[in-house]
Amino acid sequence: MGEEEGGGWRKGPWTAEEDRVLIEYVKVHGEGRWNNVSTHLPPGLKRNGKSCRLRWVNYLRPDLKRGHITPHEENLILHLHARWGNRWSTIARSLPGRTDNEIKNYWRTHFKKKGKYPSQSPEKTQVRLMRRQQFQAMQQQQQQQQQTDMKRMMLLLDESEENVSTFTHSRQEIIHPSVQDNQGYFCSDIEEYRPIPVSSSSEDMILWDGLWNLEDLQGNLTGRANYQQTIASTLFF
DNA sequence: AATAGTTCCAACCGCCTCTGT
DNA sequence: AACAGAGGCGGTTGGAACTAT
């Protein structure tokens, strides 16, 4: 991995410098026109358009959410997969901050392998979910304190439109009333979570069904998420 | 402590669709 | 209408990290 191949394109893991350069590019030129990236960039970034797009969409986008899939999200994935099958991008649109790749990976490791859901023994799954619930209960207290600040920050970001014009699409999907809904993890019927949408087309219902759990932005930063946030901060501030 | 098995996740590939000419 | 290029999507791979034995 990490070697140059046909056409001179670099492959393999991205370096921090490559990330920085790509972020700069998107900052100036916006998303899209990925094949132009290589022509605008210093020789250091010999990545083809597809690779750049993938890196941005799955890793560098500032609105990405990191950390474990919550039980609520897990429910949502199950529910939506039952409805949509392997249409990961469709499913991902209902889970703001999650990528299709992430959901796909999660599905494959947890539900696909041993036939239908869930993949693990019920006992194991239960233990796993309980651990997460404990962890999240701890975090919830912190979140309640910090959520107000975070919302204020998001509003500020929306106002500074010239800085973030390239990211409006995703953020507008993120902010919606269900921001408060991340409470009942083990709800068996996902419909109970669903806020009443203003518009009631089935597509809208799915969009509104999404959730925005701020835990990872606020507290549970993994090394990688931390790195991502650092990079994101260079974009916004 | 060593090994095997599992989970996680970044990244690539090939195909399909969309869009511009 | 036909073609080409770009972007999007789902499937797959491979390696690192974690967990169980």
Side-chain angles (χ1 to χ4, degrees):
Chain A
M1 276 198 162
E3 303 297 323
E4 286 191 11
E5 286 199 6
W9 300 121
R10 230 182 82 78
K11 294 169 106 177
W14 282 64
T15 65
E17 174 63 10
E18 286 176 321
D19 283 347
R20 192 192 62 74
V21 169
L22 180 57
I23 287 168
E24 273 305 309
Y25 174 85
V26 175
K27 195 175 176 182
V28 174
H29 298 94
E31 294 183 50
R33 303 171 187 279
W34 297 109
N35 282 336
N36 289 352
V37 177
S38 57
T39 64
H40 282 86
L41 297 177
L45 195 97
K46 298 189 80 177
R47 295 280 186 173
N48 65 26
K50 273 191 153 186
S51 182
C52 292
R53 177 190 161 272
L54 202 72
R55 182 64 177 174
W56 176 259
V57 167
N58 285 335
Y59 196 85
L60 297 176
R61 262 168 47 200
D63 57 306
L64 288 181
K65 186 172 144 187
R66 291 283 161 182
H68 291 115
I69 300 284
T70 67
H72 183 199
E73 287 174 313
E74 189 172 290
N75 270 336
L76 207 48
I77 291 169
L78 282 171
H79 179 77
L80 292 171
H81 187 270
R83 183 184 297 185
W84 296 107
N86 293 0
R87 294 167 66 177
W88 305 114
S89 59
T90 304
I91 294 172
R93 279 190 277 272
S94 294
L95 288 117
R98 301 293 187 188
T99 68
D100 55 352
N101 205 33
E102 194 176 4
I103 294 168
K104 182 171 59 182
N105 282 333
Y106 187 79
W107 173 266
R108 288 183 70 81
T109 50
H110 287 80
F111 305 123
K112 176 78 180 283
K113 217 173 181 179
K114 297 169 186 168
K116 279 279 179 176
Y117 15 8
S119 64
Q120 298 162 320
S121 70
E123 294 80 12
K124 268 191 174 179
T125 304
Q126 194 64 24
V127 167
R128 191 187 186 90
L129 291 178
M130 283 178 71
R131 275 199 210 128
R132 285 187 198 168
Q133 194 180 31
Q134 280 180 346
F135 173 70
Q136 285 171 347
M138 280 171 51
Q139 289 223 317
Q140 216 160 9
Q141 285 187 315
Q142 294 175 345
Q143 287 174 25
Q144 282 167 359
Q145 288 182 334
Q146 293 173 357
Q147 211 160 41
T148 309
D149 289 341
M150 183 58 76
K151 280 186 200 168
R152 200 179 306 141
M153 191 182 91
M154 298 295 266
L155 282 173
L156 282 172
L157 287 172
D158 271 345
E159 283 164 10
S160 57
E161 208 52 59
E162 72 278 11
N163 289 334
V164 295
S165 59
T166 59
F167 312 123
T168 50
H169 158 70
S170 16
R171 202 170 327 107
Q172 279 166 1
E173 280 188 346
I174 287 167
I175 299 175
H176 62 67
S178 70
V179 70
Q180 299 288 354
D181 290 348
N182 188 30
Q183 301 288 336
Y185 303 131
F186 294 105
C187 179
S188 58
D189 182 358
I190 213 71
E191 305 291 331
E192 291 179 22
Y193 283 102
R194 190 165 286 158
I196 299 167
V198 177
S199 151
S200 59
S201 76
S202 61
E203 287 293 329
D204 283 347
M205 290 287 278
I206 287 166
L207 272 178
W208 283 101
D209 204 4
L211 56 150
W212 177 238
N213 179 344
L214 295 165
E215 71 184 17
D216 302 308
L217 284 177
Q218 293 166 347
N220 183 30
L221 287 171
T222 64
R224 254 184 254 139
N226 223 336
Y227 167 62
Q228 185 201 2
Q229 198 178 46
T230 303
I231 286 178
S233 69
T234 69
L235 270 173
F236 288 130
F237 305 112

